[in-house]
Amino acid sequence: MDPQTEIELQAAAFRRLQKHLMQDRTDVQNIDMMNLAGFCRNCLARWYQEAANEKGIEMGKEEAREIFYGMTMDEWKSKYQTEASPDKQAAFKVAFEENVGKKD
C-alpha cells in the first residue's frame, strides 16, 4: 500500500472512531473508557493536540477538546456526563496514573 493511501485510511478510521464515540455512543462515559481501555475521548483530543503541536500548529488542550468533541467540555458534560461512583473514581485515579501520568 502506498503511504498516502495508508494515511487516508488511518484518517478515515479515526473519523469513524470519533463519530462512534461522539454520536453513536454518547452513553459511554469517559471514566468507563479510561478504567477499561486506558484512554478516553480526552486522550484522543490530547493526541490530536500533540500531533498539531508536532507539526508546529499551536493548539491548547481546550481548543483540541472543542475540535474533537464538536462542542465545549461544559456543553458535553451537561448533555452526556453522569456522576461517577466512588469506586469508579478510585479506579480512574489508578488508570489515569498508569496511562497518562501527570500530562493532563
Side-chain angles (χ1 to χ4, degrees):
M1 179 181 315
D2 69 277
Q4 184 59 37
T5 299
E6 184 175 2
I7 289 168
E8 291 170 8
L9 295 176
Q10 290 169 342
F14 175 82
R15 287 190 300 271
R16 184 60 187 96
L17 173 62
Q18 184 180 25
K19 179 185 179 295
H20 182 75
L21 294 173
M22 303 314 298
Q23 295 176 21
D24 302 338
R25 292 304 309 266
T26 56
D27 61 312
V28 176
Q29 298 296 301
N30 277 339
I31 196 166
D32 294 326
M33 290 176 59
M34 191 64 161
N35 290 348
L36 180 63
F39 79 98
C40 67
R41 293 172 183 89
N42 292 334
C43 295
L44 289 164
R46 180 172 44 84
W47 297 337
Y48 186 92
Q49 173 195 3
E50 289 170 357
N53 294 162
E54 287 173 11
K55 288 283 193 184
I57 300 167
E58 295 227 6
M59 180 181 296
K61 178 171 68 172
E62 294 307 316
E63 182 182 359
R65 284 182 176 180
E66 194 165 334
I67 290 168
F68 186 83
Y69 280 79
M71 64 185 75
T72 66
M73 282 301 300
D74 287 341
E75 289 174 287
W76 174 266
K77 287 178 181 181
S78 71
K79 287 182 176 186
Y80 304 112
Q81 189 166 308
T82 61
E83 192 65 36
S85 70
D87 288 344
K88 285 184 181 183
Q89 290 177 19
F92 174 80
K93 287 181 183 181
V94 172
F96 186 88
E97 188 60 37
E98 288 176 349
N99 293 287
V100 181
K102 308 234 183 294
K103 290 182 180 180
D104 199 23

